[in-house]
Amino acid sequence: MSKYYINAAGRKSRINKEIYGHFSEHLGRCIYEGLYVGEDSEIPNVNGMRTDVVEALKEIKVPVLRWPGGCFADEYHWKDGIGPKETRKKMINTHWGGVVEDNSFGTHEFMELCRQLGCETYVNGNVGSGTVQEMSEWVEYMTFEGVSPMADLRAKNGHPEPWKVDFFGVGNENWGCGGNMTPEYYGNLYRRYQTYVRQYNADQPITRIACGPNSGDTEWTKGLLKTLFRNSEPQWHGFADGMSLHYYTIPGSWNHKGSATEFTTEEYYLTLTKALDMENLINRHGAIMDQYDPEKKIGMIVDEWGNWFDVEPGTNPGFLYQQNTMRDALVAALTLNIFNKHSDRVKMACIAQMVNVLQSVILTDGPRMIKTPTWHVFNMFKDHQDADLVESSIETGLVGEGDYKVPNLTESASVDAEGRLQITIGNLSLTEDCPVETSIVGFAGKKACACILRGAMDAKNTFEEPDAVQSEEYKVELTDGGLSFTVPACSIVKITVEE
Ligand code: AHR
C-alpha cells in the first residue's frame, strides 16, 4: 500500500497548456497522408486536411503545433511552398527517405491546419541553410498587416489577413543536422537572426526560441547562454524567450534501437529508466539556466521528445514509422507528470511526432486511422492544461529487472480553472497492483470519477483491432479526508475530484 499526500491549497506553477504540444515534420507519412491528403482525395477532408485525424486531434485539445521540422526546417525554403500548387517546386527530401517533396503543404496549409485544430502556431525557421533575409521575410509574410512586399505577396496568394505566429524557432538542432555549429557560433547567429524576427503586432508578440541542447550536452547550454547574455540588457533576457531541449528515449544503440512491439520485460524497464532521465536533464539544464535567468523568464521548450525505436519491418527506414504500445503509454504518462512537476521552467513540449512518425498519437493506413495508447494518455491528461500544479508526493518502491529499476508509481496533481482536482497516476510495475491511500488537504472532495488505461506491456491498437487498448471508467472511493483506489500493474489512472 502506498500513501499519497496532496495539498490542494499548495498552489505551485501554472501548467502551461503548451506542455501538451505536438510536432509535425515533412518526414515520412506525417504531413502527407497523415495530416494532409489534398482537396481531391477520396479520403474525407476539409481544404485537404483529413477530417478523421483533425477530429481525433481536436478531442485531445492539441494546444500548439510545431512545423516544418526538425532537420527538415534547416533545409526548408518557405517560398517553395507558396503560390499555385502546380508551380511549386518539386524536390527530393534528402534528409528523410529520398522521396519527392512537392511542396503542396506550405505556410498557407499549415495555418489552415492550425485553424481547424484551434491551436497555436509554432513555426521553425531555417538558420542552417537559410539567410537572415529569408527568415525575416517569412515573418513579414506571415504576420505583417499593411503595405509591404511580403504582405502584398500573401494577399496575392489569397490571404490578405495576417496570421498569428505564436512561437518562432530560430533554427533546429544547430549542433547537428542544422549546421554542425559550436554553441558560441550558433549563439552569435541566433542574436543576429532573432533581431529580424520582427514583432509587427505589439498585442501579438512572437515568442522566440533558441536552439538548445541535445540530451545531456550541458556544454551547449553553457556556451549558448554565455553568448546570448553577453552585453544583453537584463530586460532582454538574452534575446530569447525560450530555449529548446531535445531528448529521445532509445532503449538500444543508434543502429539497433529495439523493436517498438517485440521486447522483453527487461527492455521494458530499460526503456522506462531512460525515459525517467528526462527529469535529470531538466534539472541539469535548468540549473544552468537559473544562473542566467533566476526568475525563470526563459522557458525550457522540450520541443522534441518521445520513444524512438526501429522502424516497422518492411517500411522505408527514412520514414521512422513505428507502432505504439502500453510501454509508450507509460512513457508518455511519466514524462507528462515530470513536465507538470517542472512547469515552473518547462513552458512548452512537443511530442515527436503527431502522426505516423516515432511516438505518434495517430497512425493511418490509407483511409483507416487508429488512436494509439499514447493518444489515450494525452486524452486523460488534457485537464491539466492551464491548471495549477499543486503539492503532492507519493510513497514509492523500486520495481524492475536486473540493472533496470524504476519507482513503481508516477503522479502529478493540479487544480483546474473550474476548481476541480485532477490527478494522473501510473503504475510502472508489470506485476504488482498498488493500493493507494490518499490524504487530501485544502480540498473538500464530494464527488470523484476516474478512468483507467491498462493492458499488457505490448498491448497495442491495430487497423484490424483499433480499440484493443482504450480507456474505461474506473472505480475510486472517497474516504474521510481523501481517496482510496488501486492502480493495477502497467496502468494509468486519471481521477477528477469535485468539491
Ligand atoms: O524527429 C526526427 C528528427 O529527430 C528531427 O528531424 C530532428 O530534429 C531530430 O534529430
Side-chain angles (χ1 to χ4, degrees):
M1 206 262 291
S2 271
K3 283 270 191 197
Y4 186 24
Y5 305 94
I6 298 176
N7 175 12
R11 303 286 178 110
K12 301 183 89 179
S13 39
R14 168 65 54 97
I15 300 171
N16 273 3
K17 65 179 181 195
E18 289 85 3
I19 282 178
Y20 291 83
H22 292 255
F23 170 41
S24 60
E25 180 165 9
H26 288 242
L27 196 181
R29 297 184 301 111
C30 180
I31 299 286
Y32 302 111
E33 283 188 49
L35 290 159
Y36 180 76
V37 287
E39 290 90 338
D40 300 332
S41 171
E42 286 179 2
I43 297 174
N45 68 86
V46 175
N47 298 328
M49 313 300 155
R50 55 187 292 175
T51 309
D52 53 353
V53 172
V54 167
E55 287 309 314
L57 293 172
K58 277 165 74 174
E59 215 178 321
I60 57 172
K61 288 185 29 192
V62 168
V64 61
L65 182 58
R66 176 175 181 241
W67 170 84
C71 294
F72 185 81
D74 283 274
E75 289 189 291
Y76 183 61
H77 300 285
W78 67 272
K79 284 186 183 165
D80 297 343
I82 56 168
K85 292 202 176 161
E86 49 295 355
T87 59
R88 293 188 193 177
K89 279 187 194 162
K90 289 191 176 46
M91 53 189 58
I92 302 295
N93 186 335
T94 45
H95 214 97
W96 300 121
V99 290
V100 173
E101 164 63 61
D102 69 2
N103 280 302
S104 55
F105 189 98
T107 305
H108 290 247
E109 290 73 25
F110 172 68
M111 293 296 177
E112 169 61 11
L113 174 60
C114 292
R115 185 194 68 75
Q116 290 188 25
L117 293 174
C119 74
E120 294 176 321
T121 59
Y122 176 5
V123 176
N124 210 114
N126 176 349
V127 171
S129 70
T131 63
V132 176
Q133 181 180 357
E134 182 181 12
M135 186 179 284
S136 167
E137 286 185 338
W138 199 7
V139 173
E140 181 188 327
Y141 186 86
M142 292 186 285
T143 63
F144 186 69
E145 182 170 27
V147 179
S148 86
M150 292 303 114
D152 291 351
L153 184 58
R154 184 186 66 233
K156 191 174 143 226
N157 287 330
H159 209 280
E161 297 299 319
W163 293 287
K164 186 161 180 274
V165 173
D166 297 286
F167 304 91
F168 194 89
V170 181
N172 167 75
E173 295 195 352
N174 302 95
W175 36 261
C177 65
N180 289 308
M181 302 174 193
T182 64
E184 294 76 17
Y185 180 73
Y186 168 75
N188 282 320
L189 284 187
Y190 174 84
R191 293 171 67 119
R192 179 170 168 228
Y193 275 66
Q194 68 78 35
T195 307
Y196 305 96
V197 177
R198 296 284 188 212
Q199 304 282 0
Y200 291 113
N201 309 307
D203 55 337
Q204 292 185 356
I206 300 171
T207 299
R208 297 151 309 164
I209 297 166
C211 164
N214 180 32
S215 186
D217 185 0
T218 46
E219 291 310 306
W220 180 273
T221 307
K222 286 182 201 160
L224 174 67
L225 293 180
K226 191 170 170 210
T227 310
L228 297 192
F229 276 81
R230 187 169 180 273
N231 295 338
S232 159
E233 296 291 328
Q235 69 274 19
W236 296 344
H237 35 88
F239 307 99
D241 306 305
M243 182 193 81
S244 67
L245 164 66
H246 287 185
Y247 178 60
Y248 286 101
T249 300
I250 302 174
S253 64
W254 186 249
N255 289 330
H256 299 284
K257 300 183 181 73
S259 161
T261 54
E262 285 167 29
F263 48 91
T264 62
T265 49
E266 187 167 298
E267 283 167 327
Y268 165 87
Y269 286 115
L270 162 64
T271 309
L272 299 189
T273 318
K274 293 209 167 181
L276 283 163
D277 268 346
M278 181 65 88
E279 183 148 41
N280 299 327
L281 296 174
I282 293 170
N283 286 334
R284 284 163 65 199
H285 294 292
I288 301 167
M289 293 176 85
D290 285 348
Q291 289 169 24
Y292 290 91
D293 173 35
E295 291 174 35
K296 299 188 179 2
K297 291 193 166 141
I298 302 179
M300 188 183 288
I301 311 292
V302 191
D303 55 15
E304 288 187 31
W305 69 271
N307 287 332
W308 193 331
F309 303 122
D310 292 335
V311 298
E312 289 306 306
T315 63
N316 186 331
F319 280 16
L320 311 186
Y321 175 73
Q322 66 191 40
Q323 247 290 6
N324 201 287
T325 65
M326 273 303 293
R327 174 176 61 166
D328 294 89
L330 266 313
V331 166
L334 75 84
T335 305
L336 292 170
N337 278 336
I338 291 172
F339 291 156
N340 286 350
K341 294 262 182 192
H342 289 271
S343 49
D344 59 336
R345 178 61 88 181
V346 177
K347 299 297 179 189
M348 175 157 71
C350 304
I351 190 166
Q353 300 169 327
M354 194 174 226
V355 188
N356 290 335
V357 176
L358 302 183
Q359 193 174 346
S360 299
V361 292
I362 301 280
L363 301 177
T364 68
D365 175 30
R368 300 190 291 177
M369 180 208 84
I370 52 176
K371 297 166 176 170
T372 66
T374 301
W375 181 95
H376 287 281
V377 172
F378 273 79
N379 200 34
M380 292 166 84
F381 277 60
K382 67 187 174 191
D383 289 331
H384 284 307
Q385 290 190 23
D386 279 340
D388 286 340
L389 178 75
V390 295
E391 290 168 4
S392 64
S393 86
I394 196 160
E395 291 173 357
T396 58
L398 284 182
V399 293
E401 251 178 64
D403 290 340
Y404 309 117
K405 296 279 195 296
V406 293
N408 59 337
L409 298 171
T410 158
E411 63 74 37
S412 68
S414 68
V415 172
D416 69 16
E418 280 83 52
R420 295 170 306 188
L421 180 61
Q422 307 286 358
I423 302 166
T424 46
I425 177 162
N427 184 349
L428 308 184
S429 168
L430 288 174
T431 49
E432 304 298 319
D433 297 352
C434 189
V436 177
E437 282 305 322
T438 311
S439 305
I440 305 175
V441 296
F443 199 88
K446 301 235 161 34
K447 211 167 111 188
C449 65
C451 62
I452 187 167
L453 187 73
R454 60 175 146 188
M457 64 178 185
D458 55 356
K460 60 182 184 290
N461 292 331
T462 62
F463 294 100
E464 291 69 38
E465 258 196 286
D467 295 320
V469 181
Q470 59 177 321
S471 67
E472 58 195 353
E473 269 183 43
Y474 194 60
K475 199 162 163 34
V476 297
E477 256 176 57
L478 276 172
T479 57
D480 193 16
L483 283 169
S484 172
F485 53 91
T486 292
V487 196
C490 197
S491 79
I492 299 144
V493 173
K494 145 76 188 306
I495 306 166
T496 300
V497 192
E498 290 179 54
E499 284 190 306

